Amino acid sequence: MTHADAKQPQSLHIAPLGGVGEIGMNMMLFRYGEDYLIVDSGIRFPDTTMTGVEVILPNLSILAAIQDKIRAIILTHGHEDHIGAIRLMAQRLDLRKTPILGTAFTLALLRRRLAEEGLAAEMNLEQIRPGDTADLNPFKATFIRVTHSIPDCVAVCLETPIGRVIHTGDFKIDRNPLDGERFDEDSLRALGDEGIDLLLSDSTNASVPGWTRSEEEVAIGLEEQIAPWKGRVIVSLFSSNLYRIHSLFKIAQRNNRILCLLGRSVHQYVEVGRQTIGLELPKETDLVDVKQLHHVPRHQQLLVCTGSQAEPRSVLARASRGEHRNLSFSEDDLVLMSCRKIPGNERRIHRMINDILRAGATCVFGKQAPIHASGHARQDELKRMLELTRPKCFIPVHGEYSFLVDHANLAKEVGVEQIKIIEDGSVISLSPQGITEIAQEQVEPFFHDGNNLGTSEELCLAEKKRLAWNGVAVVDVTIDPTRGLFLGLNVETRGLFNDEGRLCKEIEDAVGAQMSGQISDMDTEELKRYAAMLVRREFRNRTRRKPVTLVQVQAGK
Ligand SMILES: [Zn+2]
Ligand SMILES: [Zn+2]
């Protein structure tokens, strides 16, 4: 063995910092020796229990410690759960020299986000096309066209001194994509022929049998609803799904309707799409502005809007509450919900639908008619991916734990030798012998509250929860410092009760009685702690709540 060989690392490390064992916030870290590579940098949105959090992202301290060694960040596609963290990462890390690789559409979306933060000019964005190979020493990345619910997506094949790894990104196998950009089975099969050591594959729909519906079928389903309708039609969808906006544009043309886009994000995606991809999308002149809508007869209107998940500030949600200046519902409206209900959003979606129905409109959901398709491969497509690539080892990614288990079972069925279910924080080693888990790290996420970025501790998330649940008590203690005498106290609360001060008065009396004569040897800090303890105890005895208690001590006579 030569000296150089002796120094060669014997394994490739793979560590998910997000997106494995959960939905959203995707980030996969690869390490060979002292060199790192990242695939995807996404965000996740908080559930309703997280007070004061706007977005959640992978742990930035881990990345800050290795930032000089990150050879590249590869973005598989433009969904927020894959690119959304980059603009926030740039606040904590120096990413100016790190190449960020993505397709034209993905980078155009990212550039827009970065421009909003004033960062676009500083970053090193490198456009790639399917079929390209990028030399990111010691990694070599080849990009393969895949289909999904947003245009211009790729899978990545990483060639390393240890072996070859395919990361699928998000995909479904749409045999007839509307932009003609076909899922590249041939390249995947060719890579499979050469030998794949490890496959990391999208598990979102691993529990669902069959094959996902194509966008072409969705277009037919939408037209079946829209063509016979005599009044106005409103379609709500995920605004990044430009295939569907393309279909609606064509349907409008065929049915003598004119398209109106409502919502900032729909406009943004269409504009970026028009500049970067070969899918026919409406130009400004093909559209009617919402303010001019009243000039168009209602049976010629086709509205496309955001709000499929009843996001409170979205067009559809505001209109359902009667808060949108240009849109309200009436009996000749057909509302098509061209989406699925993301778990966690069901209740607010139902509330919104109730309001829309109450106004007399008709509403059809993705479940009732073929007007929606998932962007993620179901079991038969996942098997197809496994059969094309024929990996030696397999790790299911992008999904909750139960989806990972179902995906692992599929891999077992098709005969993959080594299968491992992991979660965020696992560190996997790939060597010529296969995969083993070598460590479990803490990968606490970071949070952004709209203004500040930090850990749960830095943003006081636990305290925010306590404040929301228990309220605050502000206590003023007055003493005579020269004689060490307690003179009195005043208690006020926020977020607890409104009883015209009766409870506070009771607490003042009870605590006052315990404090007189007790404080002569205490310094100010001891006194504050003592008063806080007494106040919290009295509140707990009476209300079973312990408010966050702030004590001030002042001198009096
Ligand atoms: Zn996606
Ligand atoms: Zn995703």
Side-chain angles (χ1 to χ4, degrees):
M1 189 185 273
T2 65
H3 183 65
D5 284 341
K7 280 177 76 182
Q8 286 260 317
Q10 297 304 304
S11 68
L12 173 76
H13 291 180
I14 298 135
L17 298 188
V20 183
E22 65 177 346
I23 285 281
M25 196 175 101
N26 297 286
M27 180 180 280
M28 192 65 75
L29 189 61
F30 293 87
R31 174 188 184 178
Y32 178 70
E34 287 299 293
D35 298 295
Y36 292 81
L37 184 118
I38 291 172
V39 174
D40 288 332
S41 299
I43 53 164
R44 174 159 75 82
F45 294 102
D47 59 36
T48 47
T49 63
M50 298 190 104
T51 316
V53 175
E54 277 194 2
V55 298
I56 309 172
L57 63 155
N59 187 301
L60 297 184
S61 307
I62 295 174
L63 299 177
I66 56 165
Q67 63 174 331
D68 300 336
K69 301 170 190 164
I70 301 173
R71 297 295 158 245
I73 300 173
I74 291 172
L75 304 174
T76 58
H77 66 287
H79 276 147
E80 283 292 296
D81 61 324
H82 296 259
I83 68 167
I86 299 275
R87 68 186 174 87
L88 298 169
M89 284 161 71
Q91 291 185 17
R92 280 281 171 112
L93 315 178
D94 184 1
L95 292 178
R96 283 172 299 182
K97 286 202 216 85
T98 314
I100 299 177
L101 281 64
T103 58
F105 178 66
T106 305
L107 290 189
L109 289 174
L110 178 65
R111 206 169 281 122
R112 264 195 108 106
R113 299 275 183 286
L114 292 171
E116 284 166 7
E117 315 275 330
L119 289 166
E122 299 178 2
M123 308 285 271
N124 179 9
L125 307 187
E126 289 184 14
Q127 189 181 320
I128 52 96
R129 276 175 314 210
D132 284 356
T133 294
D135 204 339
L136 307 163
N137 187 33
F139 308 96
K140 220 161 100 189
T142 303
F143 305 95
I144 306 131
R145 171 65 83 210
V146 294
T147 43
H148 183 39
S149 47
I150 188 171
D152 218 3
C153 302
V154 289
V156 193
C157 178
L158 285 182
E159 194 122 16
T160 73
I162 297 298
R164 228 193 243 124
V165 181
I166 289 186
H167 188 307
T168 65
D170 293 4
F171 77 99
K172 70 194 240 181
I173 305 180
D174 195 328
R175 289 260 157 83
N176 246 334
L178 301 175
D179 57 0
E181 291 290 330
R182 296 168 74 90
F183 182 94
D184 189 358
E185 292 203 345
D186 294 342
S187 293
L188 287 166
R189 192 183 301 106
L191 288 164
D193 290 342
E194 289 171 34
I196 297 299
D197 297 283
L198 171 65
L199 174 70
L200 306 162
S201 180
D202 176 3
S203 309
T204 315
N205 272 341
S207 313
V208 190
W211 198 282
T212 51
R213 186 178 287 142
S214 70
E215 277 300 321
E216 203 175 29
E217 288 170 77
V218 175
I220 294 167
L222 285 167
E223 189 153 10
E224 274 170 5
Q225 298 287 326
I226 295 167
W229 190 258
K230 299 276 183 280
R232 183 171 67 167
V233 181
I234 298 140
V235 183
S236 182
L237 40 65
F238 298 112
S239 44
S240 58
N241 194 329
L242 291 182
Y243 297 116
R244 213 159 292 170
I245 293 175
H246 160 85
S247 297
L248 289 165
F249 177 43
K250 303 308 277 180
I251 290 169
Q253 288 174 335
R254 282 196 293 268
N255 291 276
N256 192 27
R257 286 179 185 264
I258 183 157
L259 210 57
C260 174
L261 305 181
L262 289 108
R264 193 168 147 246
S265 65
V266 191
H267 282 281
Q268 279 191 358
Y269 279 109
V270 169
E271 199 187 312
V272 172
R274 255 199 335 254
Q275 291 159 4
T276 49
I277 53 168
L279 184 66
E280 191 186 348
L281 291 164
K283 300 183 290 294
E284 284 306 318
T285 47
D286 299 316
L287 298 165
V288 58
D289 188 86
V290 64
K291 292 188 198 87
Q292 304 302 319
L293 206 51
H294 56 276
H295 296 306
V296 180
R298 288 174 71 90
H299 68 277
Q300 289 180 0
Q301 297 180 14
L302 178 55
L303 276 52
V304 174
C305 67
T306 55
S308 66
Q309 300 305 306
E311 302 89 334
R313 282 174 294 185
S314 64
V315 172
L316 202 62
R318 282 191 289 143
S320 74
R321 298 194 301 263
E323 293 168 7
H324 195 282
R325 199 188 307 168
N326 302 305
L327 181 62
S328 58
F329 299 101
S330 58
E331 275 161 18
D332 74 335
D333 280 332
L334 171 65
V335 179
L336 300 176
M337 300 294 288
S338 180
C339 61
R340 74 183 182 108
K341 295 172 197 160
I342 292 176
N345 296 340
E346 292 97 337
R347 277 185 55 194
R348 71 176 189 204
I349 295 174
H350 280 290
R351 226 175 294 137
M352 178 178 81
I353 300 297
N354 286 334
D355 286 339
I356 292 171
L357 293 174
R358 212 168 267 137
T362 302
C363 188
V364 177
F365 232 95
K367 273 239 151 119
Q368 300 162 297
I371 57 169
H372 175 62
S374 168
H376 300 274
R378 293 184 176 175
Q379 288 176 353
D380 290 351
E381 292 153 276
L382 295 173
K383 272 194 201 161
R384 181 92 191 136
M385 176 61 88
L386 285 157
E387 284 160 359
L388 287 168
T389 52
R390 288 150 284 151
K392 213 155 61 178
C393 308
F394 174 67
I395 296 176
V397 298
H398 203 286
E400 289 177 24
Y401 199 82
S402 70
F403 311 162
L404 305 180
V405 171
D406 289 337
H407 203 175
N409 287 332
L410 289 176
K412 212 177 289 169
E413 259 177 60
V414 302
V416 178
E417 274 171 48
Q418 287 190 43
I419 300 164
K420 203 147 204 76
I421 297 173
I422 62 168
E423 288 192 87
D424 296 346
S426 286
V427 182
I428 293 292
S429 158
L430 173 72
S431 69
Q433 286 73 46
I435 43 174
T436 41
E437 185 164 9
I438 52 169
Q440 259 296 333
E441 310 271 346
Q442 281 292 326
V443 289
E444 296 290 320
F446 267 52
F447 300 89
H448 193 250
D449 68 3
N451 193 31
N452 304 297
L453 179 65
T455 60
S456 161
E457 211 170 74
E458 284 165 337
L459 293 191
C460 305
L461 296 186
E463 187 169 82
K464 281 199 183 95
K465 212 172 203 174
R466 271 205 311 281
L467 284 168
W469 184 246
N470 293 320
V472 191
V474 178
V475 181
D476 277 317
V477 178
T478 312
I479 58 166
D480 178 343
T482 49
R483 291 185 294 162
L485 281 181
F486 168 76
L487 297 178
L489 85 164
N490 180 58
V491 178
E492 272 189 45
T493 62
R494 287 289 181 276
L496 210 59
F497 285 116
N498 250 337
D499 63 352
E500 292 164 348
R502 281 193 295 275
L503 175 65
C504 289
K505 180 77 181 57
E506 262 183 52
I507 305 265
E508 284 165 10
D509 291 346
V511 173
Q514 294 167 75
M515 284 187 76
S516 346
Q518 293 290 323
I519 65 155
S520 46
D521 323 323
M522 291 182 190
D523 64 28
T524 310
E525 285 312 306
E526 283 172 318
L527 181 59
K528 278 184 178 175
R529 274 199 297 276
Y530 181 58
M533 186 273 291
L534 292 177
V535 167
R536 286 161 63 82
R537 192 164 70 191
E538 293 302 327
F539 269 109
R540 195 196 54 211
N541 290 345
R542 287 168 172 78
T543 67
R544 300 180 63 196
R545 291 267 192 284
K546 281 208 260 180
V548 174
T549 304
L550 308 171
V551 182
Q552 291 179 40
V553 176
Q554 57 195 19
K557 278 199 182 121

